[in-house]
Amino acid sequence: MTGRQATGWAAAAGVVAVGTGLALGELAAGLVSPSLSPVTAVGGAVIDAVPPGVKDWAISLFGTADKTALLGGMGLLIAALAALSGIVELRRRFAGVAVIAVFGAAGLAAVLGRSELTGNAIAAPLLAAAVGMILLRWLIRRLGEWQTDAGSNAGPDAGSNTGPDAGPDAGPPPGGTDPAAQPPSRRRFLQALGGTAAAAAAAGVLAATFRGAAAVVNEVRSKLTLPVPASPAPPIPAGAEVRLDGVGPLVTPNKDFYRIDTALRVPVVDPGQWTLKVTGRVEKEISLDFAALLAKPLIERHVTIACVSNEVGGDLIGNARWLGWPVRELLALAGPKDGADMVLSRSADGWTAGTPLEVLTDNRDALLAIGMNGEPLPLEHGFPVRLVVPGLYGYVSATKWVTELKVTRFADDAGYWTPRGWSERGPIKTSSRIDVPRAGRPVSAGTVAFGGVAWAQHTGIGRVELRVNRGAWQEAQLAPGISRDTWYQWKLELPLTPGQYEVQVRATDLNGDAQVEERAPVVPNGATGYHTVRVDVKS
């Protein structure tokens, strides 16, 4: 093998390795983050960074195909850099891996800089870079084995059967074109290269399928104008946000809102094709399409929702401003029959939740939500329609991509998680959390500010207290809540001298019931216990 041939195969190895990593990264994004992928993030960053004059030039040159041209140019640049990574990896171990790592970091930075960012989106560029680096090392190692074998076959006698006395049946020299005479290392390299390329192609096809569908629906979502609510959200009371460093915002931004569901791939539901059916033990079955839902008198409310898997002190909880139609009004049209006590809601991907009927028909603001913090629901959070039910854990209420409400009985049906060991009904338990100071982080002696949140959805918080080293409880300053259906922020300043302290928090709801001190796991119906942090105070 000549040096030029080795360089060419190394470049091919780089293109295949990086291409496979990129295809798998895009596939992962299509499964868990349809709104954002490494390629769309980098493309968006490029568009944002390009001067207006260049954008105008591109539009005049390419017209409506300007973004296609951008993607094509990005593809050529990525291929060139991938080929370079293979060449430098062949010449110096880990040099090509470093090239991929640098551009993987650039992809991650682009993802982190997009407004559509969610926690799930971060995994895609990391996966793409890791796969690319691993495959590059593997393929170059195979190529190195072929180089070594080819060199050993080119010894002093390598050309003995090609001289003037060679007969007509003399075969090609070792390392020539006869497959039987090729070194096994050549075959292993070509098989590895071809197999990896086939995997990249398959992943690319799947990614294109998922992302193509997501792109269409996301385009529809981006052009959707939400109706003006018939009943806007009440204004946030003055002082409801304590504005203490380390305590998060009172209203959780969409990009930071937790996501827990069983969907391996985020369902992509075209609102033009969406319908919601009310079935089961009702006087009249109802079918509702998206246009009809938009025409209803919608209301807007702040509601805090939480996952039953939230550990004591955990962050699987968030507060948002939701826009939707009260579920009770839809159920009233259907007319639940006597004996019904549960509504089994079904998602577009088949997931189900069993919600007590009385919770969906009382005066609380249980919503068929279409909006979240002033914009249409993100795809990951249930676009076009989801359920939001104050006071219940999500596993029995917060059905995303909802397509059916079946009025039934707990004796006849069960939601997805109930047969798996979780309780039938999931009222959220009164709880509280210390957000600052962070456990394990030293603070300076003197006045130390503590702060956090407390919640008892659909009941409300009446008091929050802290105690230090199991001493007397001290009442914190409780900020006014937006409503009984949201969390409340609190803060308390304590004079602390140098030393180590154990600090605990407890909340009491508006009915006078304090949260449970006894520690319990999340299964079967939510964790209990006082959130405890250990604070190291330095002089």
Side-chain angles (χ1 to χ4, degrees):
M1 182 193 303
T2 67
R4 181 173 295 181
Q5 288 173 326
T7 298
W9 285 118
V15 171
V16 169
V18 171
T20 304
L22 191 60
L24 289 175
E26 289 294 298
L27 178 58
L31 294 172
V32 302
S33 176
S35 300
L36 183 64
S37 78
V39 170
T40 58
V42 172
V46 170
I47 291 172
D48 293 344
V50 167
V54 176
K55 293 179 184 176
D56 294 340
W57 171 82
I59 293 172
S60 65
L61 182 62
F62 298 107
T64 57
D66 59 333
K67 291 181 176 59
T68 302
L70 171 62
L71 291 174
M74 287 174 55
L76 291 174
L77 178 60
I78 291 170
L81 293 171
L84 175 65
S85 72
I87 293 169
V88 299
E89 184 68 22
L90 178 66
R91 296 175 179 175
R92 178 172 296 180
R93 189 178 183 185
F94 296 123
V97 168
V99 172
I100 296 177
V102 168
F103 286 96
L108 177 61
V111 168
L112 292 174
R114 306 311 295 172
S115 61
E116 311 98 313
L117 175 68
T118 65
N120 293 328
I122 296 174
L126 297 178
L127 175 66
V131 169
M133 290 187 288
I134 292 170
L135 288 178
L136 181 65
R137 278 299 311 144
W138 179 57
L139 291 173
I140 294 299
R141 189 163 55 247
R142 286 281 185 264
L143 179 58
E145 293 170 357
W146 179 15
Q147 275 189 296
T148 301
D149 288 351
S152 65
N153 287 336
D157 299 326
S160 61
N161 62 344
T162 63
D165 297 328
D169 296 329
T177 58
D178 182 3
Q182 301 303 315
S185 55
R186 177 182 184 274
R187 187 166 56 253
R188 286 195 296 268
F189 171 74
L190 293 177
Q191 287 173 342
L193 189 68
T196 304
V205 170
L206 288 174
T209 301
F210 292 155
R211 296 212 62 78
V216 171
V217 172
N218 219 26
E219 182 73 10
V220 173
R221 175 188 174 274
S222 68
K223 295 179 178 178
L224 177 63
T225 300
L226 294 176
V228 176
S231 174
I236 296 176
E241 194 157 15
V242 299
R243 302 189 184 280
L244 183 63
D245 285 345
V247 177
L250 184 64
V251 178
T252 311
N254 291 355
K255 66 183 180 65
D256 298 328
F257 210 94
Y258 79 96
R259 179 198 162 194
I260 298 291
D261 52 54
T262 62
L264 180 61
R265 178 175 70 89
V266 172
V268 177
V269 181
D270 183 348
Q273 303 297 319
W274 175 87
T275 58
L276 176 66
K277 296 180 179 179
V278 182
T279 64
R281 299 169 68 93
V282 293
E283 298 293 340
K284 179 178 65 174
E285 293 196 349
I286 299 288
S287 182
L288 180 73
D289 63 24
F290 194 65
L293 178 57
L294 292 180
K296 298 295 184 182
L298 306 182
I299 69 172
E300 192 178 48
R301 296 291 185 269
H302 288 92
V303 177
T304 298
I305 60 175
C307 179
V308 71
S309 296
N310 197 34
E311 299 281 358
V312 172
D315 59 1
L316 299 182
I317 182 170
N319 183 46
R321 177 166 51 91
W322 307 94
L323 173 68
W325 191 39
V327 181
R328 61 177 176 270
E329 296 188 19
L330 175 63
L331 292 176
L333 294 177
K337 293 181 178 179
D338 291 343
D341 61 4
M342 187 255 271
V343 173
L344 188 73
S345 55
R346 184 176 302 275
S347 169
D349 67 348
W351 186 84
T352 55
T355 309
L357 178 62
E358 69 268 18
V359 170
L360 297 178
T361 54
D362 64 12
N363 64 352
R364 77 186 70 199
D365 294 316
L367 301 176
L368 286 169
I370 63 168
M372 182 178 183
N373 289 331
E375 65 179 67
L377 292 171
L379 268 63
E380 295 89 342
H381 290 292
F383 182 81
V385 185
R386 67 168 295 166
L387 282 176
V388 173
V389 182
L392 297 185
Y393 287 119
Y395 82 103
V396 295
S397 67
T399 304
K400 304 174 187 175
W401 317 287
V402 62
T403 59
E404 182 184 8
L405 301 179
K406 179 184 178 182
V407 179
T408 180
R409 302 188 309 165
F410 281 106
D412 299 332
D413 286 294
Y416 179 89
W417 285 111
T418 302
R420 292 167 170 80
W422 298 80
S423 62
E424 281 187 339
R425 302 163 187 258
I428 293 178
K429 297 178 178 178
T430 301
S431 192
S432 52
R433 188 179 75 198
I434 299 172
D435 289 338
V436 290
R438 299 289 185 186
R441 293 185 184 178
V443 298
S444 299
T447 300
V448 178
F450 289 79
V453 289
W455 58 89
Q457 287 94 314
H458 202 57
T459 302
I461 293 294
R463 184 170 68 252
V464 174
E465 300 164 293
L466 268 69
R467 68 179 179 184
V468 179
N469 294 337
R470 307 294 175 108
W473 289 103
Q474 303 179 59
E475 188 166 352
Q477 176 187 342
L478 182 64
I482 300 175
S483 75
R484 297 184 306 157
D485 292 335
T486 67
W487 59 14
Y488 296 58
Q489 294 188 346
W490 59 266
K491 66 179 180 180
L492 178 63
E493 294 183 344
L494 295 174
L496 297 178
T497 57
Q500 293 186 332
Y501 299 87
E502 177 194 81
V503 182
Q504 294 179 303
V505 61
R506 74 174 180 186
T508 301
D509 69 22
L510 286 172
N511 293 332
D513 298 322
Q515 73 177 87
V516 177
E517 178 178 7
E518 181 183 359
R519 300 284 294 198
V522 296
V523 180
N525 56 9
T528 61
Y530 295 160
H531 186 211
T532 303
V533 298
R534 287 168 176 79
V535 181
D536 187 11
V537 180
K538 302 293 187 179
S539 57

